[in-house]
């Protein structure tokens, strides 16, 4: 074969090799970036992790804790100026006296809106590598940023929020001391808030009776609570998903939660629902016909993920009613009854995606005494209520008249 004939062949082979390598690299990159749940098969082979005492929260190396940073984050957490119109801050939807959450089915929203999901507590959030109900944030820092800028939550613009911070002398000084910047940067606000949130955990004086029991104090739980623990790990099967130190496998499951009827009756909630369908890249058909929150599907776009949500941690749940992603159950008794019926509410309703319903969800056949014991154990997973004195908000720099400014300039 001549060189003239060999050249195209070699060139084609080289191009094919390059394309295959590029495709492989792309697949690898997509796999590493995809928000995939942990492999179910591997979990089944190993079995669920046992319940364990809550360890110290993990601290990211690029956002180490310090008393000054925590104090700054505490103030910022309660400051509504980190939002769109300076009315909606972190604490607006995460009130300390409401479980550091919001005690309604749907969380509060930006003025003129209502949220579409239940507000989760920030207590113990520092342990959660997947935050929000569909796992769309991988850290407290990203969660804070996402909530402050979300259209139905904070609705804030980064430049406006940052400008407000720079007009407050106390913040200028505190940011300079903590982060070494000449002026406050809004990205550092999320870091400070996250440092504060990592101090809100069920340890020390807020340790639960269950943790004390797991550490060896066998008198920490009474007979009914110990019976509930046995049910939790056995007949009731709760530990299959609610396991480990935070009582969550961090995975996504469709457990049969029915839609919230509020979407059918509340016009404002219906507007938010449709807006979220559009914002999350819903299909045209889905946008027009969806009657429930599709959950993890919005991230994966896989049909089998419709109706799946991240397993909620169980610590501090005594203070965080109502329950589930859409707040359809207001008591732990209702929750236990729902599971006992195999993922059906008292009206016989279940998820609108029964084909995706977890095979782990099935009728349990619990007696009334067993249900009571299970509730008692769940309540023992919450330690004392975490209370805090709300900080005083720093004030803007004083306003000056033109004459005062000119006089000050001349004095220099």
């Amino acid at each position: 074969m001549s060189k003239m004939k060999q050249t195209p062949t070699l060139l084609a082979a080289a191009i094919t090799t390059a394309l295959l390598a590029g495709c492989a690299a792309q697949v690898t990159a997509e796999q590493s970036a995809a928000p995939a749940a942990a492999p179910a098969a591997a979990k089944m082979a190993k079995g669920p992790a046992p319940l364990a005492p809550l360890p110290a929260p993990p601290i990211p190396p690029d956002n180490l804790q310090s008393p000054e940073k925590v104090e700054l984050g505490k103030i910022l957490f309660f400051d509504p100026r980190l939002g769109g119109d300076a009315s909606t801050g972190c604490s607006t939807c995460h009130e300390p006296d409401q479980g550091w959450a919001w005690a309604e089915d749907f969380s509060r929203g930006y003025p003129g809106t209502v949220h579409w999901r239940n507000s989760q507590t920030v207590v113990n959030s520092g342990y959660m590598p997947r935050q929000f109900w569909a796992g769309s944030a991988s850290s407290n820092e990203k969660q804070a940023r996402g909530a402050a800028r979300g259209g139905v939550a904070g609705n804030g613009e980064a430049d406006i929020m940052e400008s407000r911070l720079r007009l407050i002398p106390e913040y200028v000084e505190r940011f300079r001391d903590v982060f070494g910047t000449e002026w406050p940067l809004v990205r550092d606000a999320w870091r400070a808030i996250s440092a504060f949130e990592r101090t809100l955990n069920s340890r020390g004086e807020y340790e639960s009776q269950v943790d004390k029991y797991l550490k060896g104090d066998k008198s920490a739980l009474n007979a009914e609570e110990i019976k509930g623990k046995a049910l939790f790990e056995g007949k009731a099967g709760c530990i299959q998903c609610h396991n480990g130190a935070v009582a969550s496998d961090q995975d996504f499951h469709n457990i049969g939660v029915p839609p919230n009827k509020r979407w059918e009756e509340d016009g404002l909630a219906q507007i938010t629902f449709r807006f979220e369908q559009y914002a999350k890249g819903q299909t045209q058909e889905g946008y027009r016909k969806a009657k429930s929150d599709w959950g993890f599907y919005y991230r994966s776009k896989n049909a089998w993920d419709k109706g799946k949500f991240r397993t909620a941690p169980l610590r501090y749940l005594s203070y965080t009613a109502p329950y589930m992603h859409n707040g359809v159950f207001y008591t732990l008794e209702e929750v236990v009854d729902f599971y006992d019926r195999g993922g059906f509410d008292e009206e016989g309703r279940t998820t609108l995606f029964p084909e995706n319903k977890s095979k782990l969800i099935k009728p349990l056949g619990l007696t009334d005494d067993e249900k009571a014991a299970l509730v008692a154990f769940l309540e023992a997973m919450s330690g004392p209520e975490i209370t805090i004195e709300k900080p005083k908000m720093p004030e803007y720099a004083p306003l000056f008249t033109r004459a005062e400014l000119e006089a000050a300039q001349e004095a220099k």
Side-chain angles (χ1 to χ4, degrees), residues 24 53 73 100 135 185 199 232-233 238 395:
W100 295 83
L185 299 176
T199 68
F232 184 95
E233 297 170 331
C238 312
E395 298 180 356

Side-chain angles (χ1 to χ4, degrees), residues 117-135:
R117 285 176 179 163
N118 180 252
S119 178
Q120 299 185 81
T121 183
V122 298
V123 174
N124 300 318
S125 62
Y127 298 90
M128 309 300 289
R130 289 171 170 168
Q131 304 205 13
F132 293 120
W133 282 105

Side-chain angles (χ1 to χ4, degrees), residues 34-38 40 251-255 293-309 351-359:
D251 212 337
F252 301 89
H253 305 276
N254 180 331
I255 61 173
D293 188 340
W294 289 19
F296 191 55
Y297 166 85
Y298 299 123
R299 299 200 65 217
S300 73
K301 299 301 187 289
N302 294 318
W304 55 84
D305 287 324
K306 293 178 182 178
K308 291 183 179 181
F309 296 88
T351 174
L352 296 186
F353 308 104
E355 69 277 10
N356 295 338
K357 194 170 178 178
S358 172
K359 299 297 188 292

Side-chain angles (χ1 to χ4, degrees), residues 37-48 251 253:
K43 288 187 175 183
M44 292 300 291
K46 295 180 181 178
D251 212 337
H253 305 276

Side-chain angles (χ1 to χ4, degrees), residues 10-25:
L10 292 173
L11 180 62
I15 292 174
T16 302
T17 302
L19 287 173
L20 289 174
C23 290

